[in-house]
Amino acid sequence: MTALPTAPGPGPAPAAAYRSLRRLHRPALLVWAAFVLLVTGWLLWLHLSEVPAERACRGFFQYSPMASGSLPGCDYSAFTDANNVINFLGEALGYSCVAVAAWAGGALIGRELESGTARLAWTQSVSPARWLAGKLVAAALPLAAGGGLLALVFGRVWSSDQEQLVSNWTYDRVFIPRGPLLPALLLLGLAVGALAGIALRRTLPALGAAAAVTLVTRLYLREAWLPLHGPLHGFWAVHLSATAMVLALTAAATAGAFFLLRRRAG
């Protein structure tokens, strides 16, 4: 009996596609994991070691103003001062979305379009929309998880040690990394990078354009959510409103990336 021809399979399963993406971008994933662990460890060191030491030093000199010399570990250092460290980490986290956009525009999308590997995948078993969705989901999951962890730790440390830190919650270096606005900005950088990569289809131009657009957007957003401090009161009311604003921009950039890809790949 002659065997009936079988229809071609639906293509690789999503799980297999995600594993392939993880292998391809493993160095970027390792760098991101190292960054998350480094900042988390630094924040915990600040909370468990440096802030208690500074609190003890302050209490010693407050109640013993005539004491000569100083307690061990009370010497000031700009590199270990709790307020300097929290400000530095807050600024780094607030602008980390620019680095994500540069990576997404250059390595995640632009390089594959420039080299032709993306089109090769489209002609085999993966549609352009599925190709882009797989890449965005595989990148968004670790970004959102890492950003959420950083926001949780940063918010807990800043709230617990607020009396030792002079930064006000309205400053970007505290306002952004203290809640879900941080992972929302990371996802915005990913979406802008994908849009730039599809629009330019070359690694370096997409990398530069994505970083520049995300930086300008990040600076403009500061002016956009400042008026929220008037009608809204308290950190969380303003923070969640700003987060919704960023997520709306992320959705728009993602939709634009899929629309442009559909036109370019058609």
Side-chain angles (χ1 to χ4, degrees):
M1 179 182 293
T2 304
L4 294 175
T6 57
Y18 299 155
R19 286 196 297 270
S20 176
L21 286 169
R22 285 197 297 269
R23 287 195 300 269
L24 182 62
H25 297 288
R26 185 173 296 169
L29 182 61
L30 292 176
V31 169
W32 172 242
F35 176 78
V36 172
L37 291 176
L38 175 63
V39 175
T40 300
W42 207 346
L43 288 168
L44 291 177
W45 167 82
L46 195 72
H47 174 63
L48 298 174
S49 178
E50 183 61 24
V51 168
E54 290 186 9
R55 189 180 292 118
C57 291
R58 179 174 296 183
F60 173 77
F61 288 110
Q62 179 180 357
Y63 295 106
S64 305
M66 301 303 294
S68 58
S70 63
L71 287 177
C74 286
D75 296 330
Y76 174 81
S77 171
F79 298 102
T80 59
D81 176 71
N83 196 64
N84 287 346
V85 172
I86 201 77
N87 286 341
F88 171 76
L89 293 178
E91 291 287 354
L93 292 175
Y95 285 96
S96 57
C97 56
V98 178
V100 171
W103 169 76
L108 185 66
I109 303 296
R111 183 172 62 190
E112 293 206 20
L113 290 174
E114 183 177 19
S115 65
T117 55
R119 188 165 293 276
L120 178 62
W122 304 343
T123 59
Q124 294 179 348
S125 58
V126 181
S127 68
R130 188 180 182 186
W131 171 83
L132 179 58
K135 282 189 165 293
L136 292 180
V137 171
L141 290 178
L143 284 174
L149 175 62
L150 289 170
L152 179 66
V153 176
F154 187 98
R156 180 63 182 270
V157 170
W158 192 87
S159 300
S160 301
D161 304 324
Q162 191 174 352
E163 78 283 355
Q164 289 291 124
L165 308 172
V166 299
S167 293
N168 190 283
W169 69 262
T170 59
Y171 297 161
D172 280 4
R173 56 182 176 266
V174 175
F175 181 74
I176 291 175
R178 199 179 154 201
L181 183 56
L182 174 60
L185 279 171
L186 295 174
L187 295 179
L188 175 62
L190 175 64
V192 171
L195 180 58
I198 294 169
L200 299 175
R201 293 182 290 179
R202 294 178 61 190
T203 303
L204 292 180
L207 183 154
V213 170
T214 304
L215 177 60
V216 171
T217 304
R218 159 71 179 79
L219 294 174
Y220 169 77
L221 284 171
R222 167 67 178 172
E223 305 302 320
W225 61 54
L226 270 178
L228 298 175
H229 292 267
L232 300 177
H233 301 285
F235 168 78
W236 284 111
V238 181
H239 186 91
L240 293 178
S241 298
T243 302
M245 186 186 306
V246 171
L247 290 177
L249 290 175
T250 303
T254 304
F258 276 97
F259 175 77
L260 187 59
L261 179 65
R262 183 179 179 183
R263 295 194 61 180
R264 291 285 177 87

